[in-house]
Amino acid sequence: MKFMQRMLAPALATLAVLLAWPCFGGQQPSAVLCQVWNVPAGDGLEQLLSGKTLDQPPTTSGPCAGLEYSAAAARPGCVVLRAVLTPPADGDYLFYIAAGEEAALYFGPADQPEKRVRIADVPVATPPRDWQRYAAQTSAPQSLGKNRKYLLEAIVGGKQPAHLEVGWRLPDGTMERPIKLQYLSSPPENIKPIHLPPTSWQVLLKGKTPPATTGGHHGYPLGAAAENSTGQFDFSYQLWLPMDWPADQRSRALFVFLHGNGHQGTDLSGILNEGPPRYLAERPELAQWFPMVALFPQLPPKWRWDTPGAASLVNGLIEQICRRYPRIDRKRIYLSGLSMGGKGVWLTALQKPNLYAAIAPISAVSVQPETAKAKLTHPWVWIICGGQDGDFRNGARLMYQTLGSQNGRVRFDEIPDAGHGVWDRFYPTRDFYAQLLRHTR
């Protein structure tokens, strides 16, 4: 009997490990590789991808029961699911991702994993298998070839990465969410997780044109250049000068606005159609009164304000504008944005918190609440949301609950009958800007 126990002990130990594996669930090993990194702080996904966490060996690595992961007691960190996909037919496929924290889905040729690209995102945690809460969870159509090999890699990171799922819609309309194992095979062993490039960009203004000297809007398509060790690109911005700028030589505050999703590009038309740029163009009474210089950066195509490096674009552009227009009062710089731009406000202020006298994210999700509490110890914070705005309202409430005890430095306005577009009740009014102007750094 003792001999049998000694012989069986290793096998029983292995079985116990497999049954305890959070996404294994006691099933047979599959072609899906699951890797988990446990880290102390629970950084957001972009911080994990651009930092050094994933350079280290994973805490655990093993087979998963499919393109679906779950853990009853998630720890802060990052989870990666990876598999090779073989489509059953030629045609256009849609991919879906759901996750318990910020997540991203990468896709590319299996024999060239370095060419995989991001095709879908989870901007804010969803319940398990909640596939269509946000538009970004669904990819653009991907034209795939029958029996060709493609690499799928799903990544979730943050404080509670408790679940992660990947699904698809086949060309005939069939939904498989999650994707069935029959189309999956094991990924190559030498693939490393996505590691994003450096997140800091040096920003310079292009050209040798003199500063603008007249009041009103001034457009600079591709008027700024960003550089770092990985390369260089140009991006656009719009500038507003007060109507009395030529005559009045007083120093001026600077108001910076981050646009919402869908207005990325190079032609500036998008950002002129919403928020403060729109109202300054459409409402003469607001334009005549507006006492600040205003800066409206435009994201490059396919970027988001949570793209690694976007915050450094804004902060670097502010520095260059302050140099070109020395009458700007650096103690009175204000930052606001709507929806995705509201999330950008949090991320941009977190990168350089001492730059701003006040920030006002509107209709924004939560962003690293505990980190924000530790870093945003000086700027006055005005959180605005609509009471009918679902997860955006919940995110705003969480940020207020986390930051709100800091000696009256945080104001929270939830408009009960408003939805996502609550910003239209604030940006057209003088009072919104007057509230910001009360604060100095």
Side-chain angles (χ1 to χ4, degrees):
M1 181 63 70
K2 290 183 179 180
F3 172 79
M4 290 296 295
Q5 288 175 341
R6 287 197 301 270
M7 293 294 293
L8 288 174
L12 291 173
T14 300
L15 178 61
V17 170
L18 292 178
L19 291 174
W21 181 250
C23 63
F24 196 80
Q27 301 182 35
Q28 293 298 314
S30 81
V32 179
L33 175 66
C34 180
Q35 296 179 314
V36 179
W37 285 261
N38 291 331
V39 296
D43 287 339
L45 178 64
E46 306 301 339
Q47 288 71 35
L48 288 165
L49 294 183
S50 59
K52 297 182 179 180
T53 296
L54 302 189
D55 292 335
Q56 308 302 316
T59 307
T60 54
S61 181
C64 197
L67 280 172
E68 184 170 31
Y69 162 92
S70 63
R75 294 180 57 188
C78 184
V79 178
V80 173
L81 298 181
R82 188 184 300 120
V84 170
L85 176 71
T86 305
D90 295 334
D92 288 342
Y93 293 73
L94 295 180
F95 289 88
Y96 304 85
I97 182 171
E101 286 280 4
E102 282 186 280
L105 181 62
Y106 289 87
F107 178 83
D111 59 349
Q112 295 177 294
E114 71 278 2
K115 292 187 177 181
R116 63 199 190 274
V117 296
R118 195 164 179 163
I119 61 170
D121 297 90
V122 176
V124 182
T126 73
R129 298 193 181 189
D130 188 343
W131 302 103
Q132 293 178 292
R133 179 164 294 217
Y134 308 106
Q137 290 178 254
T138 306
S139 75
Q142 306 293 317
S143 181
L144 309 186
K146 180 179 179 180
N147 295 331
R148 294 188 63 183
K149 304 294 184 183
Y150 301 91
L151 181 68
L152 271 179
E153 183 173 275
I155 306 176
V156 60
K159 197 171 184 179
Q160 287 282 327
H163 70 90
L164 176 63
E165 303 89 34
V166 179
W168 67 350
R169 189 188 76 184
L170 285 76
D172 64 2
T174 300
M175 291 284 194
E176 291 184 359
R177 300 191 295 198
I179 297 173
K180 291 182 179 178
L181 282 173
Q182 69 190 77
Y183 303 116
L184 304 175
S185 57
S186 299
E189 296 181 359
N190 60 346
I191 296 177
K192 296 182 179 180
I194 288 288
H195 200 296
L196 297 175
T199 59
S200 180
W201 295 89
Q202 180 183 8
V203 176
L204 298 171
L205 301 185
K206 292 179 63 181
K208 297 181 180 180
T209 56
T213 58
T214 58
H217 276 300
H218 301 270
Y220 296 89
L222 300 178
E227 299 179 355
N228 70 11
S229 61
T230 66
Q232 182 270 338
F233 64 89
D234 299 335
F235 66 101
S236 304
Y237 67 96
Q238 186 85 9
L239 191 72
W240 167 273
L241 296 181
M243 290 302 189
D244 60 355
W245 181 263
D248 193 327
Q249 295 296 308
R250 291 177 301 166
S251 64
R252 301 299 181 117
L254 176 65
F255 174 78
V256 184
F257 168 73
L258 305 186
H259 61 75
N261 198 20
H263 298 297
Q264 300 90 323
T266 60
D267 62 1
L268 292 172
S269 61
I271 59 173
L272 291 171
N273 291 332
E274 70 172 1
R278 170 190 170 188
Y279 292 121
L280 285 171
E282 292 182 353
R283 303 202 175 194
E285 69 282 3
L286 180 65
Q288 288 295 328
W289 169 83
F290 200 82
M292 296 181 281
V293 175
L295 175 62
F296 311 123
Q298 184 175 34
L299 281 169
K302 299 183 180 180
W303 277 52
R304 292 174 49 88
W305 291 118
D306 54 10
T307 298
S312 69
L313 293 187
V314 179
N315 291 326
L317 183 59
I318 289 172
E319 176 62 32
Q320 293 302 318
I321 292 296
C322 287
R323 289 180 181 178
R324 177 159 288 192
Y325 298 87
R327 285 164 52 193
I328 290 175
D329 184 353
R330 291 174 179 257
K331 292 185 177 181
R332 294 186 295 155
I333 298 177
Y334 310 107
L335 179 65
S336 185
L338 60 85
S339 191
M340 178 189 70
K343 182 178 184 180
V345 169
W346 291 120
L347 293 168
T348 301
L350 282 171
Q351 192 205 50
K352 205 165 186 180
N354 294 329
L355 180 63
Y356 299 99
I359 64 173
I362 303 182
S363 300
V365 298
S366 63
V367 176
Q368 305 171 40
E370 294 300 331
T371 302
K373 183 177 181 179
K375 286 190 173 183
L376 300 180
T377 56
H378 176 76
W380 183 67
V381 179
W382 189 3
I383 303 169
I384 299 170
C385 69
Q388 306 300 316
D389 201 15
D391 288 328
F392 295 91
R393 175 204 62 198
N394 296 340
R397 287 179 176 177
L398 176 59
M399 295 302 286
Y400 176 64
Q401 290 165 2
T402 307
L403 301 177
S405 61
Q406 299 188 21
N407 301 320
R409 287 192 312 97
V410 182
R411 172 174 169 176
F412 179 59
D413 282 5
E414 180 180 316
I415 310 305
D417 61 337
H420 196 54
V422 68
W423 53 79
D424 284 336
R425 304 194 187 194
F426 291 85
Y427 285 140
T429 69
R430 293 187 186 185
D431 182 65
F432 173 78
Y433 307 100
Q435 291 294 328
L436 298 178
L437 284 164
R438 293 174 55 195
H439 302 275
T440 59
R441 182 167 57 84

